[in-house]
Structure formats: C-alpha cells, structure tokens
Amino acid sequence: VHLLQTLAVEKRNLTENPVSPYFYCWDHAEFFNFSQKDVIYLMHIPKTAACSLKYDVMSAAGAGKIFSDELCYSFGERHHASAVMTILRNPRSHVLSQYYECGTSDT
C-alpha cells in the first residue's frame, strides 16, 4: 500500500513539478563522485522498475550514494562500487512490456 501511495504522489508531482525524483533516473559518470565510500551502482535495464528502485534506495542510503545508468556490469567494478544492483523480469513479460511501450510511444 505504501509503495502505491508513493507512486501516486510521485505521478502527481511529475505532472505538477517536472523536477521529480523519477525525472533523474540516470546519472552521468562525469558528474558523479565515485571517491566517496559505499557507492551503489544500479545497472539499469529498461522496463524493469529500476527508476523506482533507485528512488527507494536513495531515500534509505542518501541521494549521493547511488549511481544509475544503462552501462555494463564491469562499470561498477572499475569504479570500485561497494555493491552492484539490478532488477530482472520474466523474459516474456519484459519483451511484451517493451513492445507495447514502443508501439504506443510518441517517439
């Protein structure tokens, strides 16, 4: 219930305020401070709710502690991340979700 309430609030915030936490789902490596301790690398796979996970982890660990991008697993190792996270989905539902997203998207 809490997650659904949070998502409803964030959806409303996104329409009212374009600078929502979900708006900044991916980071840029050149602007991220990898020298700090306990950095978590979130390897983002499209259509797997990684943006939601990033928002939840940021609220628990702090905004500057998680880096998210669509890069390879080895990226986290090269930058000495203390943990690498990702979300996987059932392959069939993942492909269908991506198909419907592409079929209904304006871009």
Side-chain angles (χ1 to χ4, degrees):
V1 172
H2 176 69
L3 179 59
L4 293 177
Q5 291 170 340
T6 302
L7 292 176
V9 168
E10 287 307 319
K11 185 176 181 181
R12 186 177 67 240
N13 286 344
L14 187 57
T15 57
E16 295 171 2
N17 179 9
V19 188
S20 168
Y22 292 114
F23 186 75
Y24 296 105
C25 185
W26 302 279
D27 299 303
H28 299 284
E30 60 270 16
F31 301 119
F32 194 83
N33 180 10
F34 288 101
S35 64
Q36 61 184 327
K37 291 179 66 177
D38 303 324
V39 171
I40 301 167
Y41 169 48
L42 174 59
M43 187 175 65
H44 184 262
I45 299 173
K47 304 304 292 171
T48 59
C51 293
S52 297
L53 176 64
K54 180 182 178 184
Y55 179 71
D56 291 342
V57 172
M58 279 180 12
S59 64
K65 294 289 187 178
I66 184 164
F67 174 81
S68 175
D69 208 337
E70 294 177 354
L71 300 170
C72 297
Y73 177 84
S74 61
F75 181 85
E77 292 177 335
R78 284 196 314 267
H79 290 282
H80 307 290
S82 60
V84 177
M85 300 170 57
T86 195
I87 295 181
L88 302 175
R89 286 181 69 178
N90 174 298
R92 180 177 292 161
S93 63
H94 192 182
V95 169
L96 286 173
S97 176
Q98 187 68 45
Y99 173 79
Y100 289 126
E101 173 71 19
C102 293
T104 61
S105 176
D106 293 336
T107 58

